[in-house]
Amino acid sequence: MATGFFEALLNAWDNGFTLQAVWEYVGPESRAHCPAWNRFAGIESPDWMR
């Protein structure tokens, strides 16, 4: 379920959602998952996400 949620969140980010605005509210495992998923998908993560 969590993976699906973050995939949807990252997809929204790709479509203009300001993920940076909520980034401080996600936990460390979530913060690790998003850049890892981006690497898997071949997408460069912004500096604030790393």
Side-chain angles (χ1 to χ4, degrees):
M1 181 173 181
T3 300
F5 172 75
F6 282 104
E7 288 174 23
L9 189 65
L10 289 169
N11 187 46
W13 172 58
D14 289 341
N15 291 312
F17 174 70
T18 308
L19 181 56
Q20 186 176 6
V22 298
W23 193 245
E24 67 180 282
Y25 301 109
V26 299
E29 290 182 27
S30 302
R31 288 182 184 208
H33 176 80
C34 291
W37 183 259
N38 282 345
R39 280 191 301 279
F40 174 77
I43 299 168
E44 186 175 341
S45 296
D47 289 337
W48 57 263
M49 191 181 281
R50 294 184 215 148

